[in-house]
Amino acid sequence: MPKTINKQNGSIIIEDQILATIAGISAMESYGIVGMASKSTTEDIIQLLKMDNFTKGIEVSTQDEDLLIRLHVIIEYGVRISTVGQNVIDQVKFNIKSLTGLDVDKIEVLVEDIRMD
């Protein structure tokens, strides 16, 4: 559901796809992230998404006016998962707040795979 920011002279509507793009770029800037993941529901196969469609690994939703973002990520082997996850959360919250003015209420980082590259 798009987020609406009401201003004195009108409204600004930010689509979920824009928030997903900001979240994806923010996550990709974080150390230890190899890429976003897409899980095929029919075959349980996890795919590494390329930069042009990595937003398929991100879910943006609103519950009771709270903005929720769920990121499905693939991380690099040898990094501390908890540290990478916290860095992603911090980076996504910071960039969405600074670029849109919106507060993210909850971010979930789901590690779908580990890659050795």
Side-chain angles (χ1 to χ4, degrees):
M1 182 174 176
K3 295 296 280 182
T4 303
I5 302 169
N6 294 314
K7 295 290 183 179
Q8 184 178 8
N9 297 330
S11 298
I12 301 167
I13 299 171
I14 302 173
E15 295 289 336
D16 289 348
Q17 185 68 24
I18 300 302
L19 296 173
T21 300
I22 294 169
I25 292 169
S26 301
M28 293 299 294
E29 291 175 346
S30 299
Y31 176 78
I33 298 292
V34 174
M36 305 307 294
S38 173
K39 190 172 184 181
S40 170
T41 55
T42 57
E43 300 174 14
D44 271 353
I45 297 174
I46 296 172
Q47 297 176 340
L48 176 64
L49 298 171
K50 302 296 180 199
M51 197 66 158
D52 55 343
N53 65 350
F54 65 83
T55 57
K56 291 181 181 176
I58 301 169
E59 301 167 38
V60 177
S61 61
T62 305
Q63 293 179 341
D64 301 326
E65 298 298 316
D66 289 343
L67 178 59
L68 311 172
I69 299 176
R70 181 175 289 133
L71 298 107
H72 299 266
V73 300
I74 298 172
I75 65 169
E76 182 179 330
Y77 177 78
V79 296
R80 184 180 296 254
I81 294 172
S82 61
T83 302
V84 171
Q86 188 60 53
N87 289 342
V88 169
I89 290 168
D90 294 342
Q91 189 75 13
V92 169
K93 278 188 174 186
F94 175 80
N95 284 341
I96 287 183
K97 178 67 175 179
S98 66
L99 295 172
T100 67
L102 298 173
D103 290 314
V104 181
D105 299 293
K106 185 175 182 181
I107 297 176
E108 293 179 358
V109 179
L110 297 119
V111 178
E112 299 288 352
D113 199 5
I114 296 175
R115 295 282 167 101
M116 292 179 55
D117 289 330

